[in-house]
Amino acid sequence: MKLINYTFNGTTRAGAIVGEQVIDLNYAYETQLKTAGEYRYKEIAHAYVPSTTDEIYQGGKKSIELAQQAVKFLLANPTVSAQNAIFSLEEVKVEAPVINPGKIICVGHNYREHILEMGRELPTHPVVFAKFANTILGPEDDIPFYPISEQLDYEAEFTFVIGKQARNVSEEDALDYVAGYTIANDVTYRDIQRRTLQWLQGKTVDGSAPMGPYLVTADELKDPSGLNVVLTVNGEVRQKTNTANLVFSVQKLVSFLSNLMTLEPGDVVLTGTPGGVGVAMEPPTFLKDGDVVRIEIDKVGALENKVATVAGTLVNA
């Protein structure tokens, strides 16, 4: 299932993309229950297939499976009345597949070629840092470029979302805790990142984590290794790798992180970026107003966002 949030008439709800349509998951399940004669179909639907993806992740595999069944039911029964359950893609705004995660954990120095281009040695343990929910953008949003820096950079990231609470998970069991996979762009203000030893301030500017185009649920992508990753800027290839080149795989990251902290449903993990970032080019080449950044990952899709300079400024510390 291609899981999204979508906005229609100012309201944001969970949906699935099927071809050129968006199916509202909560309304689809309501319709299925109502057709089956359930009296409390609204309450049951809200409990098991809620109206946002954040709540659906909390329901784990059961919620995702019920949502998938509801979509199949609606598509197989087109004559069933289902108000506000089916939209064309053109009618709605597609948002990120996560709205307000408790944690956004990023992994640095996790592709061999990127580590080498930055002049570092392969790490013995994952390098982790954080972004926050204020950074999340959808696949139809522009990347805001605030005039606090002239060094706006891109980072293509294969990304996964946690599907159930994880604590002290083994690598062998790790993929059972993943709800699905998406793409993120770890947009970075390089000079701000590098003015202290800690990277946080250059990584957490508003709108610096475009995400999408949807979440491919784990039942449809069983093996996160061996996926080609390509980032282009205005059609020029800048980053190209394969997830087989990760130093720390998805399984290793789930196990490692869950031994540090309890991972909760909806938590987001960006697995790292490959070589080819703008700061490492000769000469360094940063993003500018109007640039189009596109990231494609096998079996996941393509995330494309345009850079747009923002009038005015955030507080310049």
Side-chain angles (χ1 to χ4, degrees):
M1 182 166 63
K2 296 175 179 177
L3 190 59
I4 61 166
N5 291 288
Y6 73 93
T7 298
F8 180 75
N9 284 343
T11 300
T12 300
R13 293 173 59 88
I17 294 179
V18 181
E20 296 300 312
Q21 294 181 314
V22 172
I23 311 296
D24 185 289
L25 300 179
N26 173 256
Y27 288 150
Y29 191 42
E30 274 192 13
T31 301
Q32 183 184 11
L33 292 170
K34 184 179 180 181
T35 302
E38 292 283 356
Y39 284 108
R40 295 175 57 81
Y41 61 89
K42 287 182 180 291
E43 291 81 1
I44 296 170
H46 178 72
Y48 288 100
V49 184
S51 60
T52 68
T53 58
D54 290 357
E55 294 173 297
I56 287 175
Y57 298 137
Q58 292 170 6
K61 289 183 179 179
K62 184 176 182 65
S63 286
I64 290 176
E65 289 170 357
L66 289 173
Q68 291 171 324
Q69 292 170 17
V71 169
K72 291 178 181 178
F73 170 81
L74 210 59
L75 295 176
N77 296 275
T79 60
V80 172
S81 176
Q83 187 177 9
N84 297 325
I86 302 178
F87 301 89
S88 70
L89 267 173
E90 295 178 350
E91 289 182 278
V92 305
K93 180 175 182 286
V94 178
E95 310 285 1
V98 183
I99 297 175
N100 190 30
K103 294 185 280 295
I104 304 176
I105 303 165
C106 306
V107 182
H109 307 164
N110 201 25
Y111 278 99
R112 290 170 176 82
E113 68 271 33
H114 181 47
I115 296 167
L116 294 175
E117 78 174 356
M118 302 300 279
R120 299 184 175 96
E121 296 182 356
L122 293 180
T124 56
H125 296 86
V127 176
V128 295
F129 58 95
K131 292 175 89 85
F132 303 117
N134 66 297
T135 63
I136 293 178
L137 294 176
E140 297 182 4
D141 293 319
D142 290 340
I143 300 169
F145 190 177
Y146 295 99
I148 55 175
S149 164
E150 295 181 352
Q151 297 186 4
L152 190 70
D153 209 348
Y154 50 82
E155 292 191 6
E157 305 259 354
F158 179 57
T159 299
F160 64 89
V161 176
I162 296 298
K164 64 178 179 179
Q165 189 181 83
R167 180 66 179 164
N168 297 325
V169 172
S170 69
E171 289 184 32
E172 292 73 22
D173 296 333
L175 294 185
D176 291 338
Y177 292 81
V178 175
Y181 304 90
T182 188
I183 303 169
N185 186 349
D186 180 16
V187 174
T188 304
Y189 289 74
R190 290 295 181 196
D191 50 350
I192 297 175
Q193 175 195 8
R194 292 182 164 191
R195 64 187 180 186
T196 67
L197 291 176
Q198 298 293 332
W199 300 347
L200 188 71
Q201 57 191 298
K203 296 284 189 175
T204 54
V205 178
D206 290 352
S208 59
M211 191 179 300
Y214 37 70
L215 181 112
V216 177
T217 51
D219 61 299
E220 294 191 5
L221 179 51
K222 298 182 184 299
D223 184 1
S225 183
L227 307 177
N228 289 319
V229 179
V230 178
L231 180 144
T232 61
V233 177
N234 303 326
E236 176 191 357
V237 174
R238 298 282 184 86
Q239 294 184 288
K240 187 174 183 179
T241 191
N242 189 286
T243 58
N245 295 326
L246 287 168
V247 178
F248 303 102
S249 66
V250 172
Q251 294 92 321
K252 288 181 180 294
L253 291 174
V254 171
S255 180
F256 174 81
L257 293 170
S258 71
N259 277 270
L260 288 179
M261 65 192 84
T262 300
L263 300 176
E264 301 289 353
D267 285 349
V268 178
V269 181
L270 283 62
T271 62
T273 201
V277 293
V279 71
M281 296 178 68
E282 291 292 344
T285 304
F286 298 105
L287 296 171
K288 60 185 184 300
D289 183 68
D291 282 349
V292 176
V293 184
R294 181 180 177 87
I295 305 169
E296 295 186 54
I297 299 181
D298 287 348
K299 300 182 180 180
V300 180
L303 172 68
E304 182 174 298
N305 302 88
K306 184 178 180 180
V307 177
T309 299
V310 178
T313 182
L314 295 173
V315 176
N316 191 354

